[in-house]
Amino acid sequence: PLSAAGTSDPRWADPDGLEIFGGDSSLVSLEETTPLQVFLKGAEDAGRIVSGSYVRLFLWPLTVWDLGSTPCSASCFRLEGDPEGDQPCGRFHTVECNGEAIVPNGQVNTIKLRLPQDLDRPIEGLNRQRILIEDVTMPLRGFFPDFLGAEVRNPSDLRPSYVRSIGDKLWRVAGD
């Protein structure tokens, strides 16, 4: 097992480090082309989230999701008072985005993001970032509304900090 994040490692703000948004009446109804949208908020002080940090989104319920081998696409935007703002987090707003299995050779039920190497400022306190994730393979089965689990790790992909999302819940109607 990995050692947990220390005081100088990237850490989530607790309890609002990851917020799902973009839904209607607190629900994001997932259809084939629905993007996932989240706000990232790091701890203040030395625990802020820095360039090149890794973020994993654990898609609940884990047994329903299987992203396969198709990469997703993700973009990062600064929030300057406008949650729909489109200022990139760095020179570019592209974020590395891939699926990952929690268990070796198992279902791919985690989205692994690597933040840009050139974030114009760390993610901490009021300095939140908006991540837009697209091209996610949706589950074939439906599921009840649920949050996400999220982990942030340092640029060496070590020292995890975990939080459960707040905000909207994700759900899917069977067969959509």
Side-chain angles (χ1 to χ4, degrees), residues 2-11 152-154 157-161:
L2 296 173
S3 297
T7 56
S8 62
D9 294 305
R11 295 185 328 273
V152 63
R153 294 185 187 187
N154 66 22
D157 204 11
L158 301 170
R159 313 282 295 195
S161 169

Side-chain angles (χ1 to χ4, degrees), residues 8 11 20 30 34 43 45 52 60 68 87 121 129 141 143 145-146 157 170:
S8 62
R11 295 185 328 273
I20 301 170
L30 297 174
T34 304
D45 64 49
W60 295 340
Q87 295 297 314
R121 58 184 174 218
Q129 306 290 337
R141 296 180 298 185
F143 57 89
D146 208 346
D157 204 11
L170 303 178

Side-chain angles (χ1 to χ4, degrees), residues 23-156:
D24 184 27
S25 300
S26 300
L27 294 174
V28 176
S29 178
L30 297 174
E31 298 173 10
E32 288 307 313
T33 59
T34 304
L36 299 177
Q37 297 186 80
V38 296
F39 291 130
L40 306 182
K41 183 177 178 184
E44 296 187 40
D45 64 49
R48 57 191 182 216
I49 300 171
V50 297
S51 296
S53 293
Y54 287 88
V55 173
R56 285 176 174 80
L57 303 177
F58 301 103
L59 303 170
W60 295 340
L62 295 172
T63 56
V64 172
W65 289 89
D66 191 357
L67 304 176
S69 60
T70 306
C72 46
S73 59
S75 304
C76 181
F77 303 94
R78 284 189 313 206
L79 296 178
E80 299 282 337
D82 175 11
E84 299 297 324
D86 60 358
Q87 295 297 314
C89 305
R91 284 185 306 152
F92 307 103
H93 47 72
T94 303
V95 174
E96 289 179 34
C97 185
N98 293 289
E100 182 177 75
I102 292 178
V103 178
N105 301 315
Q107 289 175 217
V108 178
N109 46 21
T110 303
I111 295 174
K112 180 180 177 182
L113 305 170
R114 182 145 199 216
L115 298 177
Q117 295 290 344
D118 65 344
L119 283 178
D120 53 0
R121 58 184 174 218
I123 302 170
E124 64 178 328
L126 297 177
N127 177 31
R128 300 185 308 164
Q129 306 290 337
R130 178 172 66 97
I131 304 289
L132 174 69
I133 305 165
E134 300 178 287
D135 304 321
V136 175
T137 302
M138 294 295 162
L140 298 175
R141 296 180 298 185
F143 57 89
F144 290 111
D146 208 346
F147 292 106
L148 297 175
E151 180 182 81
V152 63
R153 294 185 187 187
N154 66 22
S156 298

